[in-house]
PDB file of all heavy atoms in Angstrom:
ATOM      1  N   GLY Z  76      -3.746  15.543  -0.129  1.00 97.00           N
ATOM      2  CA  GLY Z  76      -4.485  16.234   0.912  1.00 97.00           C
ATOM      3  C   GLY Z  76      -4.058  15.683   2.314  1.00 97.00           C
ATOM      4  O   GLY Z  76      -4.947  15.550   3.118  1.00 97.00           O
ATOM      5  N   VAL Z  77      -2.853  15.327   2.441  1.00 95.00           N
ATOM      6  CA  VAL Z  77      -2.429  14.614   3.692  1.00 95.00           C
ATOM      7  C   VAL Z  77      -2.382  15.528   4.885  1.00 95.00           C
ATOM      8  O   VAL Z  77      -1.810  16.678   4.823  1.00 95.00           O
ATOM      9  CB  VAL Z  77      -0.999  14.006   3.424  1.00 95.00           C
ATOM     10  CG1 VAL Z  77      -0.467  13.420   4.781  1.00 95.00           C
ATOM     11  CG2 VAL Z  77      -1.177  12.909   2.372  1.00 95.00           C
ATOM     12  N   GLN Z  78      -2.897  15.074   5.955  1.00 93.00           N
ATOM     13  CA  GLN Z  78      -2.843  15.642   7.301  1.00 93.00           C
ATOM     14  C   GLN Z  78      -2.218  14.603   8.287  1.00 93.00           C
ATOM     15  O   GLN Z  78      -2.825  13.528   8.380  1.00 93.00           O
ATOM     16  CB  GLN Z  78      -4.119  16.146   7.762  1.00 93.00           C
ATOM     17  CG  GLN Z  78      -4.700  17.220   6.988  1.00 93.00           C
ATOM     18  CD  GLN Z  78      -6.111  17.768   7.459  1.00 93.00           C
ATOM     19  OE1 GLN Z  78      -6.638  17.005   8.323  1.00 93.00           O
ATOM     20  NE2 GLN Z  78      -6.497  18.830   7.004  1.00 93.00           N
ATOM     21  N   TRP Z  79      -1.145  14.903   8.963  1.00 89.00           N
ATOM     22  CA  TRP Z  79      -0.514  13.972   9.849  1.00 89.00           C
ATOM     23  C   TRP Z  79      -1.191  13.930  11.186  1.00 89.00           C
ATOM     24  O   TRP Z  79      -1.816  14.959  11.574  1.00 89.00           O
ATOM     25  CB  TRP Z  79       0.984  14.330   9.960  1.00 89.00           C
ATOM     26  CG  TRP Z  79       1.681  14.160   8.746  1.00 89.00           C
ATOM     27  CD1 TRP Z  79       2.063  15.135   7.895  1.00 89.00           C
ATOM     28  CD2 TRP Z  79       2.043  12.943   8.146  1.00 89.00           C
ATOM     29  NE1 TRP Z  79       2.669  14.575   6.713  1.00 89.00           N
ATOM     30  CE2 TRP Z  79       2.708  13.208   6.941  1.00 89.00           C
ATOM     31  CE3 TRP Z  79       2.009  11.585   8.539  1.00 89.00           C
ATOM     32  CZ2 TRP Z  79       3.203  12.228   6.125  1.00 89.00           C
ATOM     33  CZ3 TRP Z  79       2.467  10.572   7.700  1.00 89.00           C
ATOM     34  CH2 TRP Z  79       3.115  10.909   6.475  1.00 89.00           C
ATOM     35  N   HIS Z  80      -1.074  12.856  11.903  1.00 82.00           N
ATOM     36  CA  HIS Z  80      -1.580  12.709  13.239  1.00 82.00           C
ATOM     37  C   HIS Z  80      -0.397  12.483  14.141  1.00 82.00           C
ATOM     38  O   HIS Z  80      -0.003  11.458  14.558  1.00 82.00           O
ATOM     39  CB  HIS Z  80      -2.473  11.516  13.340  1.00 82.00           C
ATOM     40  CG  HIS Z  80      -3.688  11.593  12.551  1.00 82.00           C
ATOM     41  ND1 HIS Z  80      -4.673  12.346  12.699  1.00 82.00           N
ATOM     42  CD2 HIS Z  80      -3.977  10.891  11.319  1.00 82.00           C
ATOM     43  CE1 HIS Z  80      -5.691  12.232  11.746  1.00 82.00           C
ATOM     44  NE2 HIS Z  80      -5.176  11.384  10.938  1.00 82.00           N
ATOM     45  N   PRO Z  81       0.263  13.697  14.556  1.00 70.00           N
ATOM     46  CA  PRO Z  81       1.589  13.565  15.313  1.00 70.00           C
ATOM     47  C   PRO Z  81       1.449  12.840  16.582  1.00 70.00           C
ATOM     48  O   PRO Z  81       2.435  12.293  17.032  1.00 70.00           O
ATOM     49  CB  PRO Z  81       1.938  15.075  15.467  1.00 70.00           C
ATOM     50  CG  PRO Z  81       0.744  15.815  15.178  1.00 70.00           C
ATOM     51  CD  PRO Z  81      -0.113  15.066  14.345  1.00 70.00           C
ATOM     52  N   GLN Z  82       0.260  12.926  17.190  1.00 65.00           N
ATOM     53  CA  GLN Z  82       0.096  12.207  18.523  1.00 65.00           C
ATOM     54  C   GLN Z  82       0.201  10.722  18.357  1.00 65.00           C
ATOM     55  O   GLN Z  82       0.521   9.992  19.313  1.00 65.00           O
ATOM     56  CB  GLN Z  82      -1.210  12.595  19.237  1.00 65.00           C
ATOM     57  CG  GLN Z  82      -2.476  12.105  18.529  1.00 65.00           C
ATOM     58  CD  GLN Z  82      -2.946  12.947  17.363  1.00 65.00           C
ATOM     59  OE1 GLN Z  82      -2.258  13.925  16.864  1.00 65.00           O
ATOM     60  NE2 GLN Z  82      -4.104  12.744  16.918  1.00 65.00           N
ATOM     61  N   GLU Z  83       0.003  10.222  17.151  1.00 62.00           N
ATOM     62  CA  GLU Z  83       0.116   8.741  17.006  1.00 62.00           C
ATOM     63  C   GLU Z  83       1.451   8.310  16.294  1.00 62.00           C
ATOM     64  O   GLU Z  83       1.589   7.190  16.030  1.00 62.00           O
ATOM     65  CB  GLU Z  83      -1.064   8.320  16.066  1.00 62.00           C
ATOM     66  CG  GLU Z  83      -2.387   8.562  16.749  1.00 62.00           C
ATOM     67  CD  GLU Z  83      -3.593   8.294  15.869  1.00 62.00           C
ATOM     68  OE1 GLU Z  83      -3.531   7.272  15.204  1.00 62.00           O
ATOM     69  OE2 GLU Z  83      -4.502   9.097  15.938  1.00 62.00           O
ATOM     70  N   GLN Z  84       2.247   9.309  15.940  1.00 61.00           N
ATOM     71  CA  GLN Z  84       3.521   9.086  15.243  1.00 61.00           C
ATOM     72  C   GLN Z  84       4.519   8.587  16.256  1.00 61.00           C
ATOM     73  O   GLN Z  84       4.705   9.080  17.296  1.00 61.00           O
ATOM     74  CB  GLN Z  84       4.076  10.315  14.579  1.00 61.00           C
ATOM     75  CG  GLN Z  84       3.085  11.017  13.629  1.00 61.00           C
ATOM     76  CD  GLN Z  84       3.034  10.400  12.286  1.00 61.00           C
ATOM     77  OE1 GLN Z  84       2.003   9.864  11.924  1.00 61.00           O
ATOM     78  NE2 GLN Z  84       4.125  10.387  11.539  1.00 61.00           N
ATOM     79  N   THR Z  85       5.383   7.550  15.786  1.00 57.00           N
ATOM     80  CA  THR Z  85       6.536   7.193  16.668  1.00 57.00           C
ATOM     81  C   THR Z  85       7.795   7.460  16.002  1.00 57.00           C
ATOM     82  O   THR Z  85       8.855   7.031  16.436  1.00 57.00           O
ATOM     83  CB  THR Z  85       6.389   5.730  17.085  1.00 57.00           C
ATOM     84  OG1 THR Z  85       6.426   4.896  15.902  1.00 57.00           O
ATOM     85  CG2 THR Z  85       5.141   5.488  17.902  1.00 57.00           C
ATOM     86  N   ALA Z  86       7.740   7.897  14.754  1.00 62.00           N
ATOM     87  CA  ALA Z  86       9.003   8.123  13.965  1.00 62.00           C
ATOM     88  C   ALA Z  86       8.763   9.232  12.894  1.00 62.00           C
ATOM     89  O   ALA Z  86       7.655   9.603  12.546  1.00 62.00           O
ATOM     90  CB  ALA Z  86       9.418   6.919  13.230  1.00 62.00           C
ATOM     91  N   SER Z  87       9.923   9.838  12.461  1.00 65.00           N
ATOM     92  CA  SER Z  87       9.818  10.755  11.351  1.00 65.00           C
ATOM     93  C   SER Z  87       9.773  10.088  10.002  1.00 65.00           C
ATOM     94  O   SER Z  87       9.907   8.862   9.960  1.00 65.00           O
ATOM     95  CB  SER Z  87      11.034  11.665  11.414  1.00 65.00           C
ATOM     96  OG  SER Z  87      12.243  10.878  10.998  1.00 65.00           O
ATOM     97  N   LEU Z  88       9.381  10.772   9.028  1.00 68.00           N
ATOM     98  CA  LEU Z  88       9.256  10.192   7.666  1.00 68.00           C
ATOM     99  C   LEU Z  88      10.509   9.569   7.202  1.00 68.00           C
ATOM    100  O   LEU Z  88      10.469   8.552   6.543  1.00 68.00           O
ATOM    101  CB  LEU Z  88       8.812  11.276   6.664  1.00 68.00           C
ATOM    102  CG  LEU Z  88       7.340  11.758   6.742  1.00 68.00           C
ATOM    103  CD1 LEU Z  88       7.140  12.726   5.613  1.00 68.00           C
ATOM    104  CD2 LEU Z  88       6.387  10.574   6.575  1.00 68.00           C
ATOM    105  N   THR Z  89      11.634  10.197   7.502  1.00 67.00           N
ATOM    106  CA  THR Z  89      12.914   9.544   7.061  1.00 67.00           C
ATOM    107  C   THR Z  89      13.263   8.312   7.704  1.00 67.00           C
ATOM    108  O   THR Z  89      14.008   7.471   7.236  1.00 67.00           O
ATOM    109  CB  THR Z  89      14.076  10.553   7.333  1.00 67.00           C
ATOM    110  OG1 THR Z  89      14.140  10.939   8.746  1.00 67.00           O
ATOM    111  CG2 THR Z  89      13.856  11.864   6.455  1.00 67.00           C
ATOM    112  N   ASP Z  90      12.646   8.025   8.852  1.00 67.00           N
ATOM    113  CA  ASP Z  90      12.827   6.654   9.610  1.00 67.00           C
ATOM    114  C   ASP Z  90      11.912   5.623   9.147  1.00 67.00           C
ATOM    115  O   ASP Z  90      12.079   4.455   9.533  1.00 67.00           O
ATOM    116  CB  ASP Z  90      12.724   6.896  11.099  1.00 67.00           C
ATOM    117  CG  ASP Z  90      13.766   7.839  11.660  1.00 67.00           C
ATOM    118  OD1 ASP Z  90      14.879   7.881  11.088  1.00 67.00           O
ATOM    119  OD2 ASP Z  90      13.518   8.498  12.641  1.00 67.00           O
ATOM    120  N   CYS Z  91      10.881   5.888   8.316  1.00 73.00           N
ATOM    121  CA  CYS Z  91       9.894   4.969   7.955  1.00 73.00           C
ATOM    122  C   CYS Z  91      10.233   4.276   6.688  1.00 73.00           C
ATOM    123  O   CYS Z  91       9.944   4.679   5.530  1.00 73.00           O
ATOM    124  CB  CYS Z  91       8.459   5.542   7.798  1.00 73.00           C
ATOM    125  SG  CYS Z  91       7.751   6.012   9.467  1.00 73.00           S
ATOM    126  N   PHE Z  92      11.082   3.202   6.798  1.00 84.00           N
ATOM    127  CA  PHE Z  92      11.371   2.365   5.668  1.00 84.00           C
ATOM    128  C   PHE Z  92      11.575   0.951   6.203  1.00 84.00           C
ATOM    129  O   PHE Z  92      11.694   0.745   7.358  1.00 84.00           O
ATOM    130  CB  PHE Z  92      12.639   2.890   4.974  1.00 84.00           C
ATOM    131  CG  PHE Z  92      13.875   2.779   5.810  1.00 84.00           C
ATOM    132  CD1 PHE Z  92      14.659   1.694   5.739  1.00 84.00           C
ATOM    133  CD2 PHE Z  92      14.169   3.894   6.534  1.00 84.00           C
ATOM    134  CE1 PHE Z  92      15.735   1.647   6.621  1.00 84.00           C
ATOM    135  CE2 PHE Z  92      15.338   3.853   7.344  1.00 84.00           C
ATOM    136  CZ  PHE Z  92      16.089   2.713   7.417  1.00 84.00           C
ATOM    137  N   GLY Z  93      11.486  -0.032   5.285  1.00 90.00           N
ATOM    138  CA  GLY Z  93      11.657  -1.360   5.694  1.00 90.00           C
ATOM    139  C   GLY Z  93      10.401  -2.185   5.530  1.00 90.00           C
ATOM    140  O   GLY Z  93       9.450  -1.743   4.892  1.00 90.00           O
ATOM    141  N   ALA Z  94      10.343  -3.299   6.356  1.00 94.00           N
ATOM    142  CA  ALA Z  94       9.204  -4.176   6.295  1.00 94.00           C
ATOM    143  C   ALA Z  94       7.935  -3.631   6.974  1.00 94.00           C
ATOM    144  O   ALA Z  94       8.081  -3.098   8.106  1.00 94.00           O
ATOM    145  CB  ALA Z  94       9.559  -5.562   6.827  1.00 94.00           C
ATOM    146  N   VAL Z  95       6.798  -3.750   6.482  1.00 95.00           N
ATOM    147  CA  VAL Z  95       5.586  -3.337   7.054  1.00 95.00           C
ATOM    148  C   VAL Z  95       5.009  -4.540   7.832  1.00 95.00           C
ATOM    149  O   VAL Z  95       4.728  -5.619   7.295  1.00 95.00           O
ATOM    150  CB  VAL Z  95       4.489  -2.874   5.967  1.00 95.00           C
ATOM    151  CG1 VAL Z  95       3.238  -2.503   6.689  1.00 95.00           C
ATOM    152  CG2 VAL Z  95       5.063  -1.724   5.151  1.00 95.00           C
ATOM    153  N   ALA Z  96       4.848  -4.343   9.132  1.00 94.00           N
ATOM    154  CA  ALA Z  96       4.283  -5.446   9.912  1.00 94.00           C
ATOM    155  C   ALA Z  96       2.779  -5.378   9.865  1.00 94.00           C
ATOM    156  O   ALA Z  96       2.114  -6.515   9.761  1.00 94.00           O
ATOM    157  CB  ALA Z  96       4.658  -5.243  11.458  1.00 94.00           C
ATOM    158  N   GLN Z  97       2.187  -4.263   9.826  1.00 95.00           N
ATOM    159  CA  GLN Z  97       0.712  -4.113   9.751  1.00 95.00           C
ATOM    160  C   GLN Z  97       0.279  -2.881   9.126  1.00 95.00           C
ATOM    161  O   GLN Z  97       0.954  -1.771   9.381  1.00 95.00           O
ATOM    162  CB  GLN Z  97       0.136  -4.156  11.181  1.00 95.00           C
ATOM    163  CG  GLN Z  97      -1.380  -4.091  11.249  1.00 95.00           C
ATOM    164  CD  GLN Z  97      -1.915  -4.291  12.735  1.00 95.00           C
ATOM    165  OE1 GLN Z  97      -1.170  -4.288  13.677  1.00 95.00           O
ATOM    166  NE2 GLN Z  97      -3.151  -4.408  12.798  1.00 95.00           N
ATOM    167  N   GLY Z  98      -0.635  -2.891   8.314  1.00 94.00           N
ATOM    168  CA  GLY Z  98      -1.165  -1.687   7.624  1.00 94.00           C
ATOM    169  C   GLY Z  98      -2.646  -1.661   7.641  1.00 94.00           C
ATOM    170  O   GLY Z  98      -3.295  -2.743   7.543  1.00 94.00           O
ATOM    171  N   GLN Z  99      -3.228  -0.442   7.911  1.00 95.00           N
ATOM    172  CA  GLN Z  99      -4.652  -0.348   7.882  1.00 95.00           C
ATOM    173  C   GLN Z  99      -5.014   0.884   6.969  1.00 95.00           C
ATOM    174  O   GLN Z  99      -4.500   1.949   7.164  1.00 95.00           O
ATOM    175  CB  GLN Z  99      -5.176  -0.175   9.339  1.00 95.00           C
ATOM    176  CG  GLN Z  99      -6.633  -0.032   9.412  1.00 95.00           C
ATOM    177  CD  GLN Z  99      -7.074   0.113  10.810  1.00 95.00           C
ATOM    178  OE1 GLN Z  99      -6.418   0.656  11.688  1.00 95.00           O
ATOM    179  NE2 GLN Z  99      -8.412  -0.259  11.077  1.00 95.00           N
ATOM    180  N   VAL Z 100      -6.094   0.664   6.177  1.00 97.00           N
ATOM    181  CA  VAL Z 100      -6.656   1.686   5.271  1.00 97.00           C
ATOM    182  C   VAL Z 100      -8.134   1.685   5.679  1.00 97.00           C
ATOM    183  O   VAL Z 100      -8.827   0.634   5.698  1.00 97.00           O
ATOM    184  CB  VAL Z 100      -6.411   1.431   3.805  1.00 97.00           C
ATOM    185  CG1 VAL Z 100      -7.183   2.491   3.060  1.00 97.00           C
ATOM    186  CG2 VAL Z 100      -4.983   1.380   3.552  1.00 97.00           C
ATOM    187  N   ARG Z 101      -8.669   2.936   5.845  1.00 97.00           N
ATOM    188  CA  ARG Z 101     -10.081   3.068   6.021  1.00 97.00           C
ATOM    189  C   ARG Z 101     -10.495   4.152   5.004  1.00 97.00           C
ATOM    190  O   ARG Z 101      -9.866   5.221   4.896  1.00 97.00           O
ATOM    191  CB  ARG Z 101     -10.471   3.595   7.464  1.00 97.00           C
ATOM    192  CG  ARG Z 101     -10.280   2.524   8.470  1.00 97.00           C
ATOM    193  CD  ARG Z 101     -10.627   3.189   9.844  1.00 97.00           C
ATOM    194  NE  ARG Z 101     -11.294   2.418  10.852  1.00 97.00           N
ATOM    195  CZ  ARG Z 101     -12.027   1.269  10.820  1.00 97.00           C
ATOM    196  NH1 ARG Z 101     -12.362   0.800   9.625  1.00 97.00           N
ATOM    197  NH2 ARG Z 101     -12.567   0.749  11.862  1.00 97.00           N
ATOM    198  N   ILE Z 102     -11.547   3.876   4.264  1.00 97.00           N
ATOM    199  CA  ILE Z 102     -12.083   4.742   3.273  1.00 97.00           C
ATOM    200  C   ILE Z 102     -13.488   5.141   3.716  1.00 97.00           C
ATOM    201  O   ILE Z 102     -14.341   4.252   3.800  1.00 97.00           O
ATOM    202  CB  ILE Z 102     -12.063   4.243   1.872  1.00 97.00           C
ATOM    203  CG1 ILE Z 102     -10.649   3.859   1.509  1.00 97.00           C
ATOM    204  CG2 ILE Z 102     -12.684   5.216   0.846  1.00 97.00           C
ATOM    205  CD1 ILE Z 102     -10.498   3.190   0.129  1.00 97.00           C
ATOM    206  N   ASP Z 103     -13.759   6.406   4.122  1.00 97.00           N
ATOM    207  CA  ASP Z 103     -14.982   6.895   4.671  1.00 97.00           C
ATOM    208  C   ASP Z 103     -15.483   5.988   5.793  1.00 97.00           C
ATOM    209  O   ASP Z 103     -16.659   5.688   5.841  1.00 97.00           O
ATOM    210  CB  ASP Z 103     -16.048   6.925   3.516  1.00 97.00           C
ATOM    211  CG  ASP Z 103     -15.795   8.068   2.481  1.00 97.00           C
ATOM    212  OD1 ASP Z 103     -15.138   9.028   2.887  1.00 97.00           O
ATOM    213  OD2 ASP Z 103     -16.176   7.855   1.375  1.00 97.00           O
ATOM    214  N   GLY Z 104     -14.472   5.618   6.640  1.00 96.00           N
ATOM    215  CA  GLY Z 104     -14.793   4.892   7.862  1.00 96.00           C
ATOM    216  C   GLY Z 104     -14.799   3.317   7.683  1.00 96.00           C
ATOM    217  O   GLY Z 104     -14.875   2.579   8.682  1.00 96.00           O
ATOM    218  N   GLN Z 105     -14.807   2.900   6.437  1.00 97.00           N
ATOM    219  CA  GLN Z 105     -14.875   1.391   6.165  1.00 97.00           C
ATOM    220  C   GLN Z 105     -13.513   0.829   6.014  1.00 97.00           C
ATOM    221  O   GLN Z 105     -12.627   1.298   5.184  1.00 97.00           O
ATOM    222  CB  GLN Z 105     -15.695   1.124   4.860  1.00 97.00           C
ATOM    223  CG  GLN Z 105     -15.834  -0.309   4.652  1.00 97.00           C
ATOM    224  CD  GLN Z 105     -16.599  -0.594   3.349  1.00 97.00           C
ATOM    225  OE1 GLN Z 105     -17.079   0.350   2.636  1.00 97.00           O
ATOM    226  NE2 GLN Z 105     -16.855  -1.781   2.992  1.00 97.00           N
ATOM    227  N   ALA Z 106     -13.151  -0.176   6.856  1.00 97.00           N
ATOM    228  CA  ALA Z 106     -11.883  -0.815   6.818  1.00 97.00           C
ATOM    229  C   ALA Z 106     -11.759  -1.620   5.464  1.00 97.00           C
ATOM    230  O   ALA Z 106     -12.646  -2.295   5.088  1.00 97.00           O
ATOM    231  CB  ALA Z 106     -11.635  -1.680   7.983  1.00 97.00           C
ATOM    232  N   ILE Z 107     -10.585  -1.462   4.867  1.00 95.00           N
ATOM    233  CA  ILE Z 107     -10.317  -2.145   3.589  1.00 95.00           C
ATOM    234  C   ILE Z 107      -9.171  -3.064   3.840  1.00 95.00           C
ATOM    235  O   ILE Z 107      -8.029  -2.694   4.213  1.00 95.00           O
ATOM    236  CB  ILE Z 107      -9.926  -1.146   2.450  1.00 95.00           C
ATOM    237  CG1 ILE Z 107     -10.922  -0.045   2.351  1.00 95.00           C
ATOM    238  CG2 ILE Z 107      -9.628  -1.888   1.174  1.00 95.00           C
ATOM    239  CD1 ILE Z 107     -12.292  -0.513   1.926  1.00 95.00           C
ATOM    240  N   ALA Z 108      -9.366  -4.429   3.690  1.00 88.00           N
ATOM    241  CA  ALA Z 108      -8.387  -5.435   4.008  1.00 88.00           C
ATOM    242  C   ALA Z 108      -7.291  -5.365   2.995  1.00 88.00           C
ATOM    243  O   ALA Z 108      -6.155  -5.645   3.359  1.00 88.00           O
ATOM    244  CB  ALA Z 108      -9.004  -6.746   4.157  1.00 88.00           C
ATOM    245  N   ALA Z 109      -7.608  -5.280   1.673  1.00 91.00           N
ATOM    246  CA  ALA Z 109      -6.581  -5.267   0.653  1.00 91.00           C
ATOM    247  C   ALA Z 109      -7.109  -4.289  -0.430  1.00 91.00           C
ATOM    248  O   ALA Z 109      -8.282  -4.111  -0.653  1.00 91.00           O
ATOM    249  CB  ALA Z 109      -6.357  -6.672   0.130  1.00 91.00           C
TER     250      ALA Z 109
END
Side-chain angles (χ1 to χ4, degrees):
V77 171
Q78 295 179 347
W79 294 101
H80 301 286
Q82 68 277 12
E83 300 173 39
Q84 306 278 117
T85 61
S87 70
L88 285 182
T89 57
D90 295 331
C91 287
F92 63 90
V95 177
Q97 184 176 6
Q99 181 179 26
V100 175
R101 289 181 145 333
I102 301 174
D103 291 331
Q105 181 179 3
I107 308 296

